[in-house]
Amino acid sequence: VAKKSTAGVKEPLSRERIVDAAIALADAEGLEAVTIRRLALDQGVTPMALYWHFKDKDRLLDGIVERLVASIDLPAAERADGQPWHLRLRVLLGEMLVVLRAHPAVVPLVPTRFMLSEPGLDVTECALTLLHEGGFTPEQSAQLASQAMMSIIQLVTGEPGLLVGEEAVAREQRLRTKRAALQSLSPERYQRVLASAEGFVACGSETAYFDLGLDLFIAGVRGVAPEPA
Amino acid sequence: VAKKSTAGVKEPLSRERIVDAAIALADAEGLEAVTIRRLALDQGVTPMALYWHFKDKDRLLDGIVERLVASIDLPAAERADGQPWHLRLRVLLGEMLVVLRAHPAVVPLVPTRFMLSEPGLDVTECALTLLHEGGFTPEQSAQLASQAMMSIIQLVTGEPGLLVGEEAVAREQRLRTKRAALQSLSPERYQRVLASAEGFVACGSETAYFDLGLDLFIAGVRGVAPEPA
DNA sequence: ACCTGAACACCGTTCAAGT
DNA sequence: ACCTGAACACCGTTCAAGT
């Protein structure tokens, strides 16, 4: 009857398409590029068109986070059943890590929005259950769950050598500048900083970096846990 | 001779005055209120006047962070001499905590700017020295120093019940909304979240909160440290 | 239901000019 | 040295209107 999805016919907007475009744009040009007007331009539409799909920009950003968090593989974390709680917690955090690592540019949006969506609450419930097994009170669990999430975020956004958006295009140049700045420091006053300089500007092994980050957090929770595990 | 600092005579602008005003404004109305134009308005000056003192807005923000970081009591951390490294590291982080807690609104500016100023480098050098004592390689030390700083930042900005800027004026209202959102959750599906609900919306004891946060990090570093301490 | 047009109140920043 | 005036290229958002 009517033409459907033929070439050149533009599909109507939808929340999904907008969120897709926003994530892709952030990946390519950084979070600052994600603008109502820019998004509209890319979709060949008026800025106000977006306001039919989202109440305001903030809800759109909420949507981005929900999309990310929803793709966390929660079952994988539950498959580690039978293992001690801290090991299962590590698996859960590892699953969060792989999801967020894929889109580092939007990760800064996560902390304030994580518990605003159903998928985020599911992940939180899971983490809290594991911490309960570790013997923590509900209050302590709440704090530790928050800090666990923040540790992951921090690992992703703080990865040395990670450059996002337009920074990425002039990548080599950026790194050289940073290295130069560090190397111009007084060798006697900043002995340790200079020795660690390379560690601040890039990371030798990505897996070593993320493993140490996870180890650090897990060792911490175990250290403060009442139940010897 | 000439009138000097009499009432009604407006002192000229200066980098110090601008940074002062910016911090005060952030404390009072949140970081979004800190705008070149708003700052100029408050100082009774044209927006472009600020560009004589700072190259652009980013350098102004750098200035804010430098001011904060410079007020970290580094000697206090060194006074703990003779104590084991992890204890001295805890003291150092505690000093950072008191400084940042005083101005939570500007804390989000810190991570990317911390090592851009001399005071920040001094603090970093100090932390790296302690980690070296703990037996870490320079690379590991670099990562752990970054994560230490991020843990502090996260503790301050993540304090449950903390509201910044205009959020603060409608404080009670905000908290009630948050509580209501949590309480409307399915009791069987989100059992743990509900049990921890109060911990997500406010914190019973500020000192317990910050102590657990510091304990967590220190236990973590000790746990992954090669040197038994 | 889904989108446009015009307008408003904001931003940061440049550039030439004033004292 | 320190600041102003006018202008530019952006923002998010509202409101009334179109199909």
Side-chain angles (χ1 to χ4, degrees):
Chain A
V1 195
K3 56 199 167 173
K4 209 172 182 181
S5 77
T6 44
V9 174
K10 51 180 203 172
E11 304 281 329
L13 276 183
S14 69
R15 292 175 54 96
E16 290 71 39
R17 276 180 41 120
I18 296 172
V19 168
D20 281 345
I23 294 178
L25 183 55
D27 284 344
E29 303 183 27
L31 200 52
E32 334 76 55
V34 178
T35 249
I36 296 281
R37 297 179 109 109
R38 171 66 187 275
L39 248 17
L41 192 74
D42 291 356
Q43 302 293 316
V45 105
T46 265
M48 295 69 72
L50 301 203
Y51 284 86
W52 196 89
H53 301 274
F54 294 94
K55 198 216 156 213
D56 56 22
K57 190 183 178 183
D58 226 61
R59 311 293 266 223
L60 200 171
L61 301 180
D62 291 351
I64 295 179
V65 172
E66 175 163 13
R67 165 76 57 90
L68 275 207
V69 174
S71 65
I72 294 173
D73 189 359
L74 207 49
E78 275 151 10
R79 240 175 281 126
D81 233 31
Q83 304 293 121
W85 64 271
H86 57 87
L87 224 153
R88 288 194 282 154
L89 183 57
R90 197 190 206 280
V91 172
L92 176 61
L93 296 182
E95 292 301 324
M96 293 186 51
L97 201 48
V98 312
V99 167
L100 298 186
R101 276 227 271 167
H103 303 283
V106 302
V107 169
L109 300 174
V110 174
T112 55
R113 294 171 168 89
F114 190 80
M115 285 188 58
L116 260 45
S117 67
E118 229 182 51
L121 287 167
D122 289 334
V123 174
T124 305
E125 179 76 13
C126 181
L128 290 175
T129 305
L130 295 172
L131 289 166
H132 175 77
E133 282 187 44
F136 293 102
T137 69
E139 287 74 27
Q140 290 171 326
S141 298
Q143 177 175 351
L144 293 173
S146 302
Q147 303 215 179
M149 191 204 53
M150 295 289 302
S151 291
I152 300 305
I153 305 239
Q154 177 213 119
L155 277 175
V156 175
T157 58
E159 184 186 345
L162 174 77
L163 297 177
V164 131
E166 42 188 340
E167 289 179 315
V169 308
R171 190 171 194 284
E172 298 308 320
Q173 179 56 27
R174 284 266 173 178
L175 291 186
R176 243 171 305 158
T177 313
K178 209 166 178 182
R179 255 184 267 263
L182 281 168
Q183 249 118 46
S184 72
L185 296 177
S186 149
E188 63 269 10
R189 183 166 175 189
Y190 297 116
Q191 186 192 344
R192 302 278 167 221
V193 173
L194 284 168
S196 295
E198 198 53 35
F200 285 113
V201 49
C203 72
S205 155
E206 290 212 332
T207 67
Y209 170 79
F210 288 108
D211 279 349
L212 176 56
L214 286 175
D215 287 346
L216 176 70
F217 182 82
I218 297 295
V221 236
R222 294 186 68 183
V224 297
E227 308 281 315
Chain B
V1 198
K3 58 200 168 173
K4 210 172 179 180
S5 75
T6 45
V9 174
K10 52 179 204 175
E11 305 281 328
L13 277 182
S14 69
R15 293 174 56 96
E16 291 70 37
R17 277 179 42 120
I18 296 172
V19 168
D20 281 345
I23 294 177
L25 183 55
D27 285 344
E29 304 184 26
L31 201 51
E32 333 78 53
V34 177
T35 249
I36 296 282
R37 297 179 110 108
R38 171 66 189 275
L39 246 17
L41 193 73
D42 290 357
Q43 302 292 315
V45 105
T46 265
M48 295 68 74
L50 301 203
Y51 284 86
W52 196 89
H53 299 275
F54 294 94
K55 198 214 156 212
D56 56 23
K57 190 184 179 183
D58 226 61
R59 311 294 265 222
L60 201 171
L61 301 180
D62 290 350
I64 294 179
V65 172
E66 175 163 12
R67 164 76 57 91
L68 274 207
V69 175
S71 65
I72 293 173
D73 190 359
L74 207 51
E78 274 151 10
R79 239 175 281 126
D81 233 33
Q83 305 292 122
W85 64 272
H86 56 86
L87 223 153
R88 290 194 280 154
L89 183 58
R90 198 190 207 278
V91 172
L92 176 62
L93 297 182
E95 293 300 324
M96 294 185 52
L97 201 49
V98 310
V99 167
L100 298 186
R101 274 227 272 167
H103 303 283
V106 301
V107 168
L109 300 174
V110 174
T112 56
R113 294 171 168 91
F114 190 80
M115 285 188 58
L116 260 44
S117 66
E118 228 181 53
L121 286 166
D122 289 334
V123 173
T124 306
E125 179 75 14
C126 181
L128 290 174
T129 305
L130 295 172
L131 290 165
H132 175 77
E133 280 186 45
F136 293 104
T137 70
E139 287 72 29
Q140 291 170 325
S141 299
Q143 177 175 349
L144 294 173
S146 301
Q147 303 214 180
M149 191 204 52
M150 295 289 302
S151 291
I152 300 305
I153 305 238
Q154 176 214 118
L155 277 176
V156 174
T157 59
E159 183 186 346
L162 175 77
L163 298 177
V164 133
E166 42 188 340
E167 288 180 314
V169 309
R171 192 173 193 281
E172 298 309 320
Q173 178 55 27
R174 284 266 173 176
L175 292 186
R176 242 170 305 156
T177 314
K178 209 165 177 182
R179 255 185 267 262
L182 281 167
Q183 248 116 47
S184 73
L185 296 178
S186 149
E188 62 269 9
R189 183 166 175 189
Y190 297 118
Q191 184 191 344
R192 303 276 167 223
V193 174
L194 285 168
S196 295
E198 197 53 36
F200 285 113
V201 49
C203 72
S205 155
E206 290 213 329
T207 67
Y209 170 78
F210 288 109
D211 279 348
L212 177 56
L214 286 175
D215 287 346
L216 176 70
F217 181 82
I218 296 295
V221 236
R222 294 184 68 181
V224 297
E227 307 282 312

